[in-house]
Amino acid sequence: MGDLVVRGIGTIVTGDVASPIADGDTIVVRDGVIASVGEGGNVEGIATLIDAGGATVIPGLCDDHVHPVLGDYTPRQQQLDWIDSCLHGGVTTMVSAGEPHLPGRPTDPAGVKALAILAHRSFANLRPSGVKVHAGAVLLEEGLTEADFAEMAAAGVRLVGEIGISGVKDPDTAAEMARWAQAAGMNVMVHTGGASIPGSGIIGADFVVAVRPDVAAHVNGGPTALPLDHVERILAETDARVEVVHNGNVKAAGDVARLVAARGELHRLVIGTDSPAGSGVQPLGMLRVISWVSALGGVEPAVAVAAATGNVAAMHGLPVGVLEAGREADLLVVDAPLGSQAGDALGAFEIGDTPAVAVAAIDGKVRLTKSRNTPPPVRTISVSG
C-alpha cells in the first residue's frame, strides 16, 4: 500500500456513470486508499508526488472479460507476461469469464470445481505486476449440484464463466444452475453471439432471457455479434448488463452503445476485451473499446470510461473503479497521444484515438511511468519521491 499525491490534474474522470467528472485538480492517497478528490487535501508526510501537468486522471481500467489460466502466461497464444502488457494499456483489474484454455481442462463436476477453486486461490495470492486478477470462474458441466455451488462459494469462488462455451447447453439446466450460483453469491455470465472456441455454439436472446444472467457477454461479438433487436430484448426482458468487447464487431459496439444510451441505461453497459483469444492478447483493448463507444456510439467520453471502470466494479462488488474517498487507489494519468488532433485524453476518445498512458498506480503505488504500448503523452508529466 502506498501514499501519493496527484496534483495539476486537468480533468478528474471519476468512473461514476451518474457523476462522471469531479471538480478540482488534486487526489490524495494514504495507505493505498483514496483520502480525498478535488481541491487541496492533507498532504503532510507524503513523499510521492505526481505532477499531472494538466493531463487527465481516470480510474484504473477493469477488464470485465479475460480468460486467464495460471500465472502471467497464456497457452492460448503461448505468450508470457500478457497481464503485465495489459497494465501498460491501463488495466489494473481483470475479471475472469472462465479458464477454458487450460490444456486438458477437466469436464467432470469434481474437475471443474477443482479448477475454479485453484484459479481463484492462485490469483488471490498472485498479482502479476500488481494487477488484481479475479479468477476462478466455474464453467458449467452436467452433473453439478446445488451443493457443489455452495462448496465453491465457501472456498471463495464468486464467478460463473460464460455459459454456452462448456458442456451445459440446455437453457433449463443452465437456468437452474444460474439460480444456485446466484443464491450462493456468484455473478453469472452467458456467452452470446456466434461460436468462439470448439464446443461453443450460437446463443441469442431466447437463451439469455431463459437463464437470466448478471451479464450477457460480448453482445457485439465474440467474435460475431447478436442482432441489435436481440440486445434490445435482453435489456427489456432481463436485468442483465450487456458487455461489449475488443474481440468482436467494431460497428456493433457503437450500435449497442447507442441503443443503451437511447434507453437511458448506460449503467448497464460494461466493457471487456475477451482475451486471450483467437485474435490474440489485446493490451490496448480496453482503451480502444472506450474509444469505439465514444467515437462510434456517441457516448460522452467520461461516461464511456465509466463503462470500463465503475460499472464493472459495481456489478462485481469491487472496491475499485471509482475515484472517490474510501476506494482502493488504482488510477491512471492519461493524455492525448503525441500527434493526435485531440487536446486531451477525453478528446482522443471522442475522435477514436487511443490515449497515452503516462502513469499507472495500484493501491497508491506507482507501477509504471511510461507505457511501452501507447504513444507518449502530449503533456509533460512527472513523478518524484
Side-chain angles (χ1 to χ4, degrees):
M1 303 296 178
D3 299 345
L4 64 81
V5 179
V6 189
R7 286 177 168 162
I9 304 170
T11 304
I12 299 174
V13 179
T14 65
D16 179 354
V17 70
S19 184
I21 302 289
D23 293 332
D25 64 357
T26 303
I27 297 173
V28 179
V29 175
R30 290 189 179 276
D31 197 24
V33 175
I34 297 172
S36 65
V37 175
E39 301 289 349
N42 178 13
V43 302
E44 184 179 354
I46 299 178
T48 303
L49 171 65
I50 300 173
D51 182 349
T56 304
V57 174
I58 68 174
L61 304 179
C62 304
D63 188 340
D64 187 57
H65 196 131
V66 296
H67 290 295
V69 179
L70 295 173
D72 199 356
Y73 165 71
T74 171
R76 175 71 170 181
Q77 294 293 338
Q78 296 295 306
Q79 185 170 333
L80 292 168
D81 300 330
W82 69 277
I83 295 173
D84 176 76
S85 201
C86 290
L87 171 65
H88 283 256
V91 176
T92 57
T93 295
M94 294 177 164
V95 182
S96 177
E99 292 81 27
H101 305 320
L102 179 77
R105 184 184 73 84
T107 57
D108 62 294
V112 297
K113 285 192 300 180
L115 175 56
I117 293 169
L118 171 64
H120 164 71
R121 292 199 170 175
S122 173
F123 279 106
N125 294 325
L126 173 72
R127 288 186 176 179
S129 302
V131 176
K132 300 167 182 176
V133 182
H134 298 273
V138 60
L139 294 172
L140 301 189
E141 298 290 351
E142 297 288 347
L144 285 168
T145 67
E146 186 171 9
D148 290 325
F149 288 91
E151 178 188 347
M152 287 185 283
V157 174
R158 293 290 179 267
L159 302 166
V160 173
E162 289 180 75
I163 299 176
I165 67 170
S166 54
V168 171
K169 302 289 198 299
D170 172 67
D172 293 334
T173 302
E176 182 177 41
M177 290 186 180
R179 300 293 79 72
W180 294 339
Q182 289 165 335
M186 298 182 187
N187 268 18
V188 175
M189 174 181 279
V190 165
H191 174 95
T192 71
S196 55
I197 64 172
S200 62
I202 301 170
I203 293 178
D206 287 343
F207 189 95
V208 178
V209 170
V211 175
R212 304 197 314 277
D214 295 282
V215 58
H218 48 52
V219 295
N220 70 311
T224 54
L226 281 179
L228 198 60
D229 61 333
H230 282 233
V231 181
E232 190 161 22
R233 275 195 61 201
I234 291 168
L235 290 167
E237 298 178 35
T238 78
D239 295 325
R241 275 83 163 182
V242 293
E243 179 192 75
V244 293
V245 301
H246 189 272
N247 184 28
N249 183 307
V250 178
K251 179 180 181 300
D255 293 342
V256 169
R258 287 186 182 278
L259 170 64
V260 178
R263 292 177 57 88
E265 296 183 305
L266 282 166
H267 64 285
R268 295 176 67 183
L269 182 67
V270 294
I271 290 175
T273 59
D274 189 11
S275 86
S279 59
V281 173
Q282 295 103 18
L284 303 184
M286 291 294 288
L287 293 171
R288 287 172 57 79
V289 180
I290 295 169
S291 74
W292 299 347
V293 166
S294 183
L296 303 178
V299 175
E300 288 292 327
V303 175
V305 169
T309 55
N311 285 4
V312 177
M315 178 170 66
H316 294 287
L318 302 175
V320 297
V322 178
L323 298 181
E324 65 180 6
R327 296 269 184 159
E328 294 175 3
D330 302 346
L331 57 86
L332 310 174
V333 182
V334 292
D335 196 17
L338 195 63
S340 175
Q341 299 173 58
D344 60 13
L346 294 183
F349 284 133
E350 194 166 27
I351 66 172
D353 280 348
T354 301
V357 176
V359 179
I362 300 176
D363 291 330
K365 289 188 175 182
V366 174
R367 292 287 179 170
L368 65 86
T369 56
K370 181 181 180 182
S371 170
R372 67 172 182 263
N373 292 328
T374 69
V378 170
R379 293 169 173 80
T380 300
I381 297 153
S382 64
V383 180
S384 59

